[in-house]
PDB file of all heavy atoms in Angstrom:
ATOM      1  N   ASP A   1      25.692 -31.098 -29.697  1.00  0.00           N
ATOM      2  CA  ASP A   1      25.044 -32.112 -28.955  1.00  0.00           C
ATOM      3  C   ASP A   1      25.635 -32.165 -27.472  1.00  0.00           C
ATOM      4  O   ASP A   1      26.821 -31.875 -27.345  1.00  0.00           O
ATOM      5  CB  ASP A   1      25.372 -33.507 -29.592  1.00  0.00           C
ATOM      6  CG  ASP A   1      24.601 -33.628 -30.940  1.00  0.00           C
ATOM      7  OD1 ASP A   1      23.481 -32.986 -31.054  1.00  0.00           O
ATOM      8  OD2 ASP A   1      25.085 -34.503 -31.753  1.00  0.00           O
ATOM      9  N   GLU A   2      24.747 -32.435 -26.609  1.00  0.00           N
ATOM     10  CA  GLU A   2      25.196 -32.440 -25.135  1.00  0.00           C
ATOM     11  C   GLU A   2      26.341 -33.366 -24.911  1.00  0.00           C
ATOM     12  O   GLU A   2      27.183 -33.111 -24.135  1.00  0.00           O
ATOM     13  CB  GLU A   2      23.968 -32.844 -24.202  1.00  0.00           C
ATOM     14  CG  GLU A   2      22.884 -31.801 -24.035  1.00  0.00           C
ATOM     15  CD  GLU A   2      21.980 -32.210 -22.941  1.00  0.00           C
ATOM     16  OE1 GLU A   2      21.933 -33.451 -22.719  1.00  0.00           O
ATOM     17  OE2 GLU A   2      21.174 -31.325 -22.483  1.00  0.00           O
ATOM     18  N   THR A   3      26.326 -34.539 -25.671  1.00  0.00           N
ATOM     19  CA  THR A   3      27.411 -35.510 -25.449  1.00  0.00           C
ATOM     20  C   THR A   3      28.732 -34.997 -25.986  1.00  0.00           C
ATOM     21  O   THR A   3      29.787 -35.533 -25.557  1.00  0.00           O
ATOM     22  CB  THR A   3      27.031 -36.851 -26.182  1.00  0.00           C
ATOM     23  OG1 THR A   3      26.735 -36.504 -27.580  1.00  0.00           O
ATOM     24  CG2 THR A   3      25.821 -37.416 -25.579  1.00  0.00           C
ATOM     25  N   ALA A   4      28.775 -34.009 -26.785  1.00  0.00           N
ATOM     26  CA  ALA A   4      29.958 -33.470 -27.394  1.00  0.00           C
ATOM     27  C   ALA A   4      30.559 -32.299 -26.497  1.00  0.00           C
ATOM     28  O   ALA A   4      31.788 -32.009 -26.656  1.00  0.00           O
ATOM     29  CB  ALA A   4      29.793 -32.984 -28.780  1.00  0.00           C
ATOM     30  N   LYS A   5      29.792 -31.736 -25.676  1.00  0.00           N
ATOM     31  CA  LYS A   5      30.348 -30.470 -25.036  1.00  0.00           C
ATOM     32  C   LYS A   5      31.556 -30.776 -24.049  1.00  0.00           C
ATOM     33  O   LYS A   5      32.475 -30.067 -24.162  1.00  0.00           O
ATOM     34  CB  LYS A   5      29.183 -29.823 -24.179  1.00  0.00           C
ATOM     35  CG  LYS A   5      29.734 -28.529 -23.453  1.00  0.00           C
ATOM     36  CD  LYS A   5      28.632 -27.776 -22.822  1.00  0.00           C
ATOM     37  CE  LYS A   5      29.166 -26.526 -22.154  1.00  0.00           C
ATOM     38  NZ  LYS A   5      28.218 -25.637 -21.609  1.00  0.00           N
ATOM     39  N   ALA A   6      31.451 -31.840 -23.347  1.00  0.00           N
ATOM     40  CA  ALA A   6      32.497 -32.203 -22.324  1.00  0.00           C
ATOM     41  C   ALA A   6      33.865 -32.383 -23.130  1.00  0.00           C
ATOM     42  O   ALA A   6      34.875 -31.834 -22.533  1.00  0.00           O
ATOM     43  CB  ALA A   6      32.150 -33.389 -21.581  1.00  0.00           C
ATOM     44  N   SER A   7      33.808 -33.002 -24.137  1.00  0.00           N
ATOM     45  CA  SER A   7      35.099 -33.219 -24.876  1.00  0.00           C
ATOM     46  C   SER A   7      35.602 -31.961 -25.481  1.00  0.00           C
ATOM     47  O   SER A   7      36.869 -31.674 -25.609  1.00  0.00           O
ATOM     48  CB  SER A   7      34.989 -34.307 -25.974  1.00  0.00           C
ATOM     49  OG  SER A   7      34.039 -33.898 -26.932  1.00  0.00           O
ATOM     50  N   LYS A   8      34.737 -31.048 -25.911  1.00  0.00           N
ATOM     51  CA  LYS A   8      35.166 -29.793 -26.480  1.00  0.00           C
ATOM     52  C   LYS A   8      35.725 -28.926 -25.391  1.00  0.00           C
ATOM     53  O   LYS A   8      36.770 -28.274 -25.522  1.00  0.00           O
ATOM     54  CB  LYS A   8      34.053 -29.085 -27.208  1.00  0.00           C
ATOM     55  CG  LYS A   8      33.559 -29.729 -28.485  1.00  0.00           C
ATOM     56  CD  LYS A   8      32.404 -28.900 -29.120  1.00  0.00           C
ATOM     57  CE  LYS A   8      32.177 -29.381 -30.570  1.00  0.00           C
ATOM     58  NZ  LYS A   8      33.235 -29.046 -31.529  1.00  0.00           N
ATOM     59  N   VAL A   9      35.131 -28.860 -24.180  1.00  0.00           N
ATOM     60  CA  VAL A   9      35.655 -28.152 -23.024  1.00  0.00           C
ATOM     61  C   VAL A   9      36.955 -28.687 -22.632  1.00  0.00           C
ATOM     62  O   VAL A   9      37.878 -27.951 -22.333  1.00  0.00           O
ATOM     63  CB  VAL A   9      34.607 -28.134 -21.869  1.00  0.00           C
ATOM     64  CG1 VAL A   9      35.224 -27.502 -20.645  1.00  0.00           C
ATOM     65  CG2 VAL A   9      33.336 -27.289 -22.277  1.00  0.00           C
ATOM     66  N   LYS A  10      37.066 -30.013 -22.645  1.00  0.00           N
ATOM     67  CA  LYS A  10      38.379 -30.639 -22.304  1.00  0.00           C
ATOM     68  C   LYS A  10      39.456 -30.156 -23.265  1.00  0.00           C
ATOM     69  O   LYS A  10      40.623 -29.886 -22.852  1.00  0.00           O
ATOM     70  CB  LYS A  10      38.217 -32.162 -22.387  1.00  0.00           C
ATOM     71  CG  LYS A  10      39.518 -32.903 -22.082  1.00  0.00           C
ATOM     72  CD  LYS A  10      39.257 -34.479 -22.156  1.00  0.00           C
ATOM     73  CE  LYS A  10      40.630 -35.144 -21.781  1.00  0.00           C
ATOM     74  NZ  LYS A  10      41.732 -34.928 -22.662  1.00  0.00           N
ATOM     75  N   GLY A  11      39.120 -30.059 -24.483  1.00  0.00           N
ATOM     76  CA  GLY A  11      40.154 -29.601 -25.492  1.00  0.00           C
ATOM     77  C   GLY A  11      40.564 -28.225 -25.172  1.00  0.00           C
ATOM     78  O   GLY A  11      41.736 -27.878 -25.258  1.00  0.00           O
ATOM     79  N   VAL A  12      39.721 -27.345 -24.758  1.00  0.00           N
ATOM     80  CA  VAL A  12      40.010 -25.922 -24.429  1.00  0.00           C
ATOM     81  C   VAL A  12      41.006 -25.980 -23.195  1.00  0.00           C
ATOM     82  O   VAL A  12      42.029 -25.281 -23.337  1.00  0.00           O
ATOM     83  CB  VAL A  12      38.742 -25.156 -24.069  1.00  0.00           C
ATOM     84  CG1 VAL A  12      39.194 -23.794 -23.402  1.00  0.00           C
ATOM     85  CG2 VAL A  12      37.887 -24.840 -25.204  1.00  0.00           C
ATOM     86  N   PHE A  13      40.707 -26.668 -22.172  1.00  0.00           N
ATOM     87  CA  PHE A  13      41.558 -26.572 -20.992  1.00  0.00           C
ATOM     88  C   PHE A  13      42.792 -27.466 -21.171  1.00  0.00           C
ATOM     89  O   PHE A  13      43.798 -27.125 -20.461  1.00  0.00           O
ATOM     90  CB  PHE A  13      40.691 -26.996 -19.741  1.00  0.00           C
ATOM     91  CG  PHE A  13      39.796 -25.742 -19.355  1.00  0.00           C
ATOM     92  CD1 PHE A  13      38.462 -25.810 -19.829  1.00  0.00           C
ATOM     93  CD2 PHE A  13      40.326 -24.740 -18.685  1.00  0.00           C
ATOM     94  CE1 PHE A  13      37.614 -24.721 -19.520  1.00  0.00           C
ATOM     95  CE2 PHE A  13      39.447 -23.657 -18.287  1.00  0.00           C
ATOM     96  CZ  PHE A  13      38.100 -23.667 -18.753  1.00  0.00           C
ATOM     97  N   ASP A  14      42.797 -28.438 -21.920  1.00  0.00           N
ATOM     98  CA  ASP A  14      44.033 -29.229 -22.306  1.00  0.00           C
ATOM     99  C   ASP A  14      44.969 -28.140 -22.951  1.00  0.00           C
ATOM    100  O   ASP A  14      46.182 -28.129 -22.656  1.00  0.00           O
ATOM    101  CB  ASP A  14      43.780 -30.296 -23.199  1.00  0.00           C
ATOM    102  CG  ASP A  14      43.233 -31.563 -22.487  1.00  0.00           C
ATOM    103  OD1 ASP A  14      43.239 -31.547 -21.255  1.00  0.00           O
ATOM    104  OD2 ASP A  14      42.832 -32.455 -23.282  1.00  0.00           O
ATOM    105  N   SER A  15      44.506 -27.357 -23.750  1.00  0.00           N
ATOM    106  CA  SER A  15      45.351 -26.284 -24.501  1.00  0.00           C
ATOM    107  C   SER A  15      45.853 -25.295 -23.596  1.00  0.00           C
ATOM    108  O   SER A  15      46.966 -24.836 -23.817  1.00  0.00           O
ATOM    109  CB  SER A  15      44.453 -25.738 -25.643  1.00  0.00           C
ATOM    110  OG  SER A  15      45.136 -24.751 -26.265  1.00  0.00           O
ATOM    111  N   VAL A  16      45.056 -24.740 -22.623  1.00  0.00           N
ATOM    112  CA  VAL A  16      45.505 -23.543 -21.907  1.00  0.00           C
ATOM    113  C   VAL A  16      46.146 -23.853 -20.551  1.00  0.00           C
ATOM    114  O   VAL A  16      46.585 -22.970 -19.876  1.00  0.00           O
ATOM    115  CB  VAL A  16      44.262 -22.648 -21.664  1.00  0.00           C
ATOM    116  CG1 VAL A  16      43.637 -22.244 -23.012  1.00  0.00           C
ATOM    117  CG2 VAL A  16      43.234 -23.240 -20.805  1.00  0.00           C
ATOM    118  N   ALA A  17      46.125 -25.169 -20.127  1.00  0.00           N
ATOM    119  CA  ALA A  17      46.565 -25.504 -18.747  1.00  0.00           C
ATOM    120  C   ALA A  17      47.895 -24.894 -18.466  1.00  0.00           C
ATOM    121  O   ALA A  17      48.164 -24.343 -17.340  1.00  0.00           O
ATOM    122  CB  ALA A  17      46.526 -27.051 -18.595  1.00  0.00           C
ATOM    123  N   SER A  18      48.941 -25.093 -19.309  1.00  0.00           N
ATOM    124  CA  SER A  18      50.258 -24.728 -18.992  1.00  0.00           C
ATOM    125  C   SER A  18      50.440 -23.176 -18.833  1.00  0.00           C
ATOM    126  O   SER A  18      51.379 -22.685 -18.219  1.00  0.00           O
ATOM    127  CB  SER A  18      51.228 -25.239 -19.989  1.00  0.00           C
ATOM    128  OG  SER A  18      50.935 -24.680 -21.278  1.00  0.00           O
ATOM    129  N   LYS A  19      49.584 -22.442 -19.451  1.00  0.00           N
ATOM    130  CA  LYS A  19      49.676 -21.008 -19.393  1.00  0.00           C
ATOM    131  C   LYS A  19      48.491 -20.353 -18.681  1.00  0.00           C
ATOM    132  O   LYS A  19      48.279 -19.135 -18.579  1.00  0.00           O
ATOM    133  CB  LYS A  19      49.609 -20.421 -20.850  1.00  0.00           C
ATOM    134  CG  LYS A  19      50.824 -20.870 -21.719  1.00  0.00           C
ATOM    135  CD  LYS A  19      52.050 -20.223 -21.296  1.00  0.00           C
ATOM    136  CE  LYS A  19      53.268 -20.576 -22.228  1.00  0.00           C
ATOM    137  NZ  LYS A  19      54.578 -19.936 -21.808  1.00  0.00           N
ATOM    138  N   TYR A  20      47.706 -21.199 -17.949  1.00  0.00           N
ATOM    139  CA  TYR A  20      46.557 -20.674 -17.316  1.00  0.00           C
ATOM    140  C   TYR A  20      46.772 -19.483 -16.307  1.00  0.00           C
ATOM    141  O   TYR A  20      45.988 -18.487 -16.349  1.00  0.00           O
ATOM    142  CB  TYR A  20      45.804 -21.874 -16.597  1.00  0.00           C
ATOM    143  CG  TYR A  20      44.456 -21.503 -16.150  1.00  0.00           C
ATOM    144  CD1 TYR A  20      43.349 -21.517 -16.941  1.00  0.00           C
ATOM    145  CD2 TYR A  20      44.157 -21.314 -14.778  1.00  0.00           C
ATOM    146  CE1 TYR A  20      42.058 -21.236 -16.597  1.00  0.00           C
ATOM    147  CE2 TYR A  20      42.946 -21.115 -14.376  1.00  0.00           C
ATOM    148  CZ  TYR A  20      41.804 -20.966 -15.147  1.00  0.00           C
ATOM    149  OH  TYR A  20      40.560 -20.740 -14.737  1.00  0.00           O
ATOM    150  N   ASP A  21      47.652 -19.776 -15.487  1.00  0.00           N
ATOM    151  CA  ASP A  21      47.938 -18.765 -14.420  1.00  0.00           C
ATOM    152  C   ASP A  21      48.436 -17.397 -14.989  1.00  0.00           C
ATOM    153  O   ASP A  21      47.888 -16.344 -14.534  1.00  0.00           O
ATOM    154  CB  ASP A  21      48.946 -19.293 -13.391  1.00  0.00           C
ATOM    155  CG  ASP A  21      48.339 -20.507 -12.579  1.00  0.00           C
ATOM    156  OD1 ASP A  21      47.151 -20.360 -12.151  1.00  0.00           O
ATOM    157  OD2 ASP A  21      49.022 -21.449 -12.285  1.00  0.00           O
ATOM    158  N   ILE A  22      49.339 -17.472 -15.880  1.00  0.00           N
ATOM    159  CA  ILE A  22      49.869 -16.129 -16.394  1.00  0.00           C
ATOM    160  C   ILE A  22      48.811 -15.523 -17.174  1.00  0.00           C
ATOM    161  O   ILE A  22      48.607 -14.242 -17.239  1.00  0.00           O
ATOM    162  CB  ILE A  22      51.165 -16.388 -17.247  1.00  0.00           C
ATOM    163  CG1 ILE A  22      51.754 -15.041 -17.640  1.00  0.00           C
ATOM    164  CG2 ILE A  22      50.910 -17.243 -18.457  1.00  0.00           C
ATOM    165  CD1 ILE A  22      53.119 -15.138 -18.316  1.00  0.00           C
ATOM    166  N   MET A  23      47.946 -16.344 -17.841  1.00  0.00           N
ATOM    167  CA  MET A  23      46.892 -15.675 -18.648  1.00  0.00           C
ATOM    168  C   MET A  23      45.861 -15.103 -17.789  1.00  0.00           C
ATOM    169  O   MET A  23      45.157 -14.036 -18.047  1.00  0.00           O
ATOM    170  CB  MET A  23      46.192 -16.802 -19.568  1.00  0.00           C
ATOM    171  CG  MET A  23      47.005 -17.071 -20.798  1.00  0.00           C
ATOM    172  SD  MET A  23      47.191 -15.617 -22.032  1.00  0.00           S
ATOM    173  CE  MET A  23      45.443 -15.341 -22.384  1.00  0.00           C
ATOM    174  N   ASN A  24      45.555 -15.776 -16.644  1.00  0.00           N
ATOM    175  CA  ASN A  24      44.532 -15.189 -15.659  1.00  0.00           C
ATOM    176  C   ASN A  24      45.095 -13.706 -15.261  1.00  0.00           C
ATOM    177  O   ASN A  24      44.249 -12.803 -15.067  1.00  0.00           O
ATOM    178  CB  ASN A  24      44.460 -16.018 -14.439  1.00  0.00           C
ATOM    179  CG  ASN A  24      43.439 -17.127 -14.673  1.00  0.00           C
ATOM    180  OD1 ASN A  24      42.695 -17.066 -15.575  1.00  0.00           O
ATOM    181  ND2 ASN A  24      43.379 -18.121 -13.757  1.00  0.00           N
ATOM    182  N   ASP A  25      46.357 -13.604 -14.874  1.00  0.00           N
ATOM    183  CA  ASP A  25      46.970 -12.363 -14.554  1.00  0.00           C
ATOM    184  C   ASP A  25      46.803 -11.277 -15.625  1.00  0.00           C
ATOM    185  O   ASP A  25      46.378 -10.118 -15.406  1.00  0.00           O
ATOM    186  CB  ASP A  25      48.380 -12.478 -14.141  1.00  0.00           C
ATOM    187  CG  ASP A  25      48.585 -12.985 -12.691  1.00  0.00           C
ATOM    188  OD1 ASP A  25      47.685 -12.683 -11.913  1.00  0.00           O
ATOM    189  OD2 ASP A  25      49.522 -13.669 -12.436  1.00  0.00           O
ATOM    190  N   LEU A  26      47.132 -11.758 -16.899  1.00  0.00           N
ATOM    191  CA  LEU A  26      47.075 -10.765 -18.028  1.00  0.00           C
ATOM    192  C   LEU A  26      45.592 -10.416 -18.281  1.00  0.00           C
ATOM    193  O   LEU A  26      45.252  -9.227 -18.583  1.00  0.00           O
ATOM    194  CB  LEU A  26      47.681 -11.453 -19.185  1.00  0.00           C
ATOM    195  CG  LEU A  26      49.231 -11.585 -19.155  1.00  0.00           C
ATOM    196  CD1 LEU A  26      49.742 -12.382 -20.295  1.00  0.00           C
ATOM    197  CD2 LEU A  26      49.931 -10.230 -19.082  1.00  0.00           C
ATOM    198  N   MET A  27      44.745 -11.443 -18.412  1.00  0.00           N
ATOM    199  CA  MET A  27      43.335 -11.159 -18.766  1.00  0.00           C
ATOM    200  C   MET A  27      42.585 -10.177 -17.741  1.00  0.00           C
ATOM    201  O   MET A  27      41.844  -9.363 -18.259  1.00  0.00           O
ATOM    202  CB  MET A  27      42.460 -12.474 -18.896  1.00  0.00           C
ATOM    203  CG  MET A  27      42.842 -13.352 -20.063  1.00  0.00           C
ATOM    204  SD  MET A  27      41.830 -14.733 -20.191  1.00  0.00           S
ATOM    205  CE  MET A  27      41.942 -15.568 -18.687  1.00  0.00           C
ATOM    206  N   SER A  28      42.803 -10.480 -16.533  1.00  0.00           N
ATOM    207  CA  SER A  28      42.056  -9.753 -15.507  1.00  0.00           C
ATOM    208  C   SER A  28      42.920  -8.470 -14.939  1.00  0.00           C
ATOM    209  O   SER A  28      42.396  -7.878 -14.042  1.00  0.00           O
ATOM    210  CB  SER A  28      41.725 -10.646 -14.325  1.00  0.00           C
ATOM    211  OG  SER A  28      42.807 -10.966 -13.551  1.00  0.00           O
ATOM    212  N   MET A  29      44.104  -8.407 -15.524  1.00  0.00           N
ATOM    213  CA  MET A  29      44.994  -7.373 -14.946  1.00  0.00           C
ATOM    214  C   MET A  29      45.296  -7.523 -13.466  1.00  0.00           C
ATOM    215  O   MET A  29      45.269  -6.546 -12.695  1.00  0.00           O
ATOM    216  CB  MET A  29      44.466  -5.869 -15.265  1.00  0.00           C
ATOM    217  CG  MET A  29      44.503  -5.639 -16.720  1.00  0.00           C
ATOM    218  SD  MET A  29      43.646  -4.019 -17.192  1.00  0.00           S
ATOM    219  CE  MET A  29      41.986  -4.517 -17.076  1.00  0.00           C
ATOM    220  N   GLY A  30      45.316  -8.808 -13.071  1.00  0.00           N
ATOM    221  CA  GLY A  30      45.544  -9.242 -11.645  1.00  0.00           C
ATOM    222  C   GLY A  30      44.338  -9.141 -10.733  1.00  0.00           C
ATOM    223  O   GLY A  30      44.439  -9.576  -9.589  1.00  0.00           O
ATOM    224  N   LEU A  31      43.177  -8.739 -11.253  1.00  0.00           N
ATOM    225  CA  LEU A  31      42.027  -8.703 -10.416  1.00  0.00           C
ATOM    226  C   LEU A  31      41.438 -10.007  -9.963  1.00  0.00           C
ATOM    227  O   LEU A  31      40.811 -10.076  -8.937  1.00  0.00           O
ATOM    228  CB  LEU A  31      40.892  -7.949 -11.233  1.00  0.00           C
ATOM    229  CG  LEU A  31      41.005  -6.389 -11.307  1.00  0.00           C
ATOM    230  CD1 LEU A  31      39.938  -5.868 -12.235  1.00  0.00           C
ATOM    231  CD2 LEU A  31      40.855  -5.763  -9.881  1.00  0.00           C
ATOM    232  N   HIS A  32      41.829 -11.099 -10.593  1.00  0.00           N
ATOM    233  CA  HIS A  32      41.341 -12.428 -10.227  1.00  0.00           C
ATOM    234  C   HIS A  32      41.885 -12.774  -8.878  1.00  0.00           C
ATOM    235  O   HIS A  32      41.150 -13.444  -8.037  1.00  0.00           O
ATOM    236  CB  HIS A  32      41.792 -13.540 -11.250  1.00  0.00           C
ATOM    237  CG  HIS A  32      43.175 -13.951 -11.187  1.00  0.00           C
ATOM    238  ND1 HIS A  32      43.545 -15.082 -10.517  1.00  0.00           N
ATOM    239  CD2 HIS A  32      44.268 -13.355 -11.700  1.00  0.00           C
ATOM    240  CE1 HIS A  32      44.886 -15.142 -10.615  1.00  0.00           C
ATOM    241  NE2 HIS A  32      45.382 -14.163 -11.322  1.00  0.00           N
ATOM    242  N   ARG A  33      42.963 -12.236  -8.445  1.00  0.00           N
ATOM    243  CA  ARG A  33      43.626 -12.398  -7.094  1.00  0.00           C
ATOM    244  C   ARG A  33      42.656 -11.789  -6.023  1.00  0.00           C
ATOM    245  O   ARG A  33      42.459 -12.366  -4.957  1.00  0.00           O
ATOM    246  CB  ARG A  33      44.971 -11.909  -7.019  1.00  0.00           C
ATOM    247  CG  ARG A  33      45.914 -12.653  -8.104  1.00  0.00           C
ATOM    248  CD  ARG A  33      47.349 -12.041  -7.943  1.00  0.00           C
ATOM    249  NE  ARG A  33      48.140 -12.677  -8.908  1.00  0.00           N
ATOM    250  CZ  ARG A  33      48.919 -13.823  -8.688  1.00  0.00           C
ATOM    251  NH1 ARG A  33      48.910 -14.376  -7.454  1.00  0.00           N
ATOM    252  NH2 ARG A  33      49.761 -14.309  -9.603  1.00  0.00           N
ATOM    253  N   ALA A  34      42.187 -10.634  -6.364  1.00  0.00           N
ATOM    254  CA  ALA A  34      41.298  -9.946  -5.432  1.00  0.00           C
ATOM    255  C   ALA A  34      39.954 -10.639  -5.303  1.00  0.00           C
ATOM    256  O   ALA A  34      39.372 -10.776  -4.192  1.00  0.00           O
ATOM    257  CB  ALA A  34      41.160  -8.463  -5.848  1.00  0.00           C
ATOM    258  N   TRP A  35      39.444 -11.129  -6.471  1.00  0.00           N
ATOM    259  CA  TRP A  35      38.170 -11.744  -6.456  1.00  0.00           C
ATOM    260  C   TRP A  35      38.225 -13.041  -5.531  1.00  0.00           C
ATOM    261  O   TRP A  35      37.404 -13.373  -4.829  1.00  0.00           O
ATOM    262  CB  TRP A  35      37.726 -12.047  -7.924  1.00  0.00           C
ATOM    263  CG  TRP A  35      37.609 -11.010  -8.763  1.00  0.00           C
ATOM    264  CD1 TRP A  35      37.184  -9.651  -8.448  1.00  0.00           C
ATOM    265  CD2 TRP A  35      37.753 -10.989 -10.180  1.00  0.00           C
ATOM    266  NE1 TRP A  35      37.134  -8.917  -9.562  1.00  0.00           N
ATOM    267  CE2 TRP A  35      37.473  -9.647 -10.685  1.00  0.00           C
ATOM    268  CE3 TRP A  35      38.130 -11.978 -11.151  1.00  0.00           C
ATOM    269  CZ2 TRP A  35      37.528  -9.320 -12.007  1.00  0.00           C
ATOM    270  CZ3 TRP A  35      38.248 -11.542 -12.457  1.00  0.00           C
ATOM    271  CH2 TRP A  35      37.907 -10.210 -12.874  1.00  0.00           C
ATOM    272  N   LYS A  36      39.337 -13.799  -5.688  1.00  0.00           N
ATOM    273  CA  LYS A  36      39.517 -14.987  -4.993  1.00  0.00           C
ATOM    274  C   LYS A  36      39.824 -14.764  -3.551  1.00  0.00           C
ATOM    275  O   LYS A  36      39.297 -15.423  -2.683  1.00  0.00           O
ATOM    276  CB  LYS A  36      40.690 -15.815  -5.600  1.00  0.00           C
ATOM    277  CG  LYS A  36      40.378 -16.384  -6.980  1.00  0.00           C
ATOM    278  CD  LYS A  36      41.557 -17.026  -7.704  1.00  0.00           C
ATOM    279  CE  LYS A  36      41.252 -17.465  -9.155  1.00  0.00           C
ATOM    280  NZ  LYS A  36      42.349 -17.902  -9.801  1.00  0.00           N
ATOM    281  N   ALA A  37      40.494 -13.650  -3.248  1.00  0.00           N
ATOM    282  CA  ALA A  37      40.785 -13.350  -1.884  1.00  0.00           C
ATOM    283  C   ALA A  37      39.432 -12.977  -1.105  1.00  0.00           C
ATOM    284  O   ALA A  37      39.306 -13.269  -0.012  1.00  0.00           O
ATOM    285  CB  ALA A  37      41.744 -12.090  -1.721  1.00  0.00           C
ATOM    286  N   TYR A  38      38.596 -12.315  -1.883  1.00  0.00           N
ATOM    287  CA  TYR A  38      37.310 -11.910  -1.273  1.00  0.00           C
ATOM    288  C   TYR A  38      36.529 -13.247  -1.094  1.00  0.00           C
ATOM    289  O   TYR A  38      35.785 -13.256  -0.062  1.00  0.00           O
ATOM    290  CB  TYR A  38      36.507 -10.928  -2.228  1.00  0.00           C
ATOM    291  CG  TYR A  38      35.203 -10.591  -1.728  1.00  0.00           C
ATOM    292  CD1 TYR A  38      35.121  -9.608  -0.717  1.00  0.00           C
ATOM    293  CD2 TYR A  38      34.017 -11.098  -2.176  1.00  0.00           C
ATOM    294  CE1 TYR A  38      33.875  -9.181  -0.222  1.00  0.00           C
ATOM    295  CE2 TYR A  38      32.760 -10.652  -1.734  1.00  0.00           C
ATOM    296  CZ  TYR A  38      32.675  -9.670  -0.691  1.00  0.00           C
ATOM    297  OH  TYR A  38      31.492  -9.330  -0.187  1.00  0.00           O
ATOM    298  N   THR A  39      36.611 -14.116  -2.009  1.00  0.00           N
ATOM    299  CA  THR A  39      35.858 -15.405  -1.758  1.00  0.00           C
ATOM    300  C   THR A  39      36.379 -16.146  -0.645  1.00  0.00           C
ATOM    301  O   THR A  39      35.532 -16.641   0.216  1.00  0.00           O
ATOM    302  CB  THR A  39      36.036 -16.239  -3.003  1.00  0.00           C
ATOM    303  OG1 THR A  39      35.534 -15.546  -4.189  1.00  0.00           O
ATOM    304  CG2 THR A  39      35.371 -17.597  -2.901  1.00  0.00           C
ATOM    305  N   VAL A  40      37.672 -16.200  -0.378  1.00  0.00           N
ATOM    306  CA  VAL A  40      38.203 -16.790   0.841  1.00  0.00           C
ATOM    307  C   VAL A  40      37.750 -16.122   2.162  1.00  0.00           C
ATOM    308  O   VAL A  40      37.427 -16.764   3.179  1.00  0.00           O
ATOM    309  CB  VAL A  40      39.745 -16.839   0.722  1.00  0.00           C
ATOM    310  CG1 VAL A  40      40.288 -17.375   2.109  1.00  0.00           C
ATOM    311  CG2 VAL A  40      40.182 -17.677  -0.393  1.00  0.00           C
ATOM    312  N   ALA A  41      37.591 -14.710   2.042  1.00  0.00           N
ATOM    313  CA  ALA A  41      37.192 -14.116   3.321  1.00  0.00           C
ATOM    314  C   ALA A  41      35.744 -14.449   3.557  1.00  0.00           C
ATOM    315  O   ALA A  41      35.340 -14.666   4.719  1.00  0.00           O
ATOM    316  CB  ALA A  41      37.355 -12.519   3.007  1.00  0.00           C
TER     317      ALA A  41
END
């Protein structure tokens, strides 16, 4: 249900918040930094 999605997404990010940055580096092999740098440019 549409009304349930926001709370489910909240649960995901509540769970990953403390490890979010290190997981980004591991998942993307550091590429997320280049993607963001390009966005800033």
Side-chain angles (χ1 to χ4, degrees):
D1 289 336
E2 284 188 346
T3 55
K5 180 170 179 175
S7 64
K8 286 182 174 290
V9 171
K10 179 179 183 299
V12 169
F13 285 95
D14 282 349
S15 175
V16 304
S18 64
K19 299 289 186 180
Y20 188 77
D21 291 318
I22 189 170
M23 281 298 297
N24 274 350
D25 279 328
L26 291 172
M27 288 188 302
S28 71
M29 293 172 283
L31 283 171
H32 76 101
R33 297 176 183 273
W35 300 331
K36 291 170 183 172
Y38 182 77
T39 300
V40 173

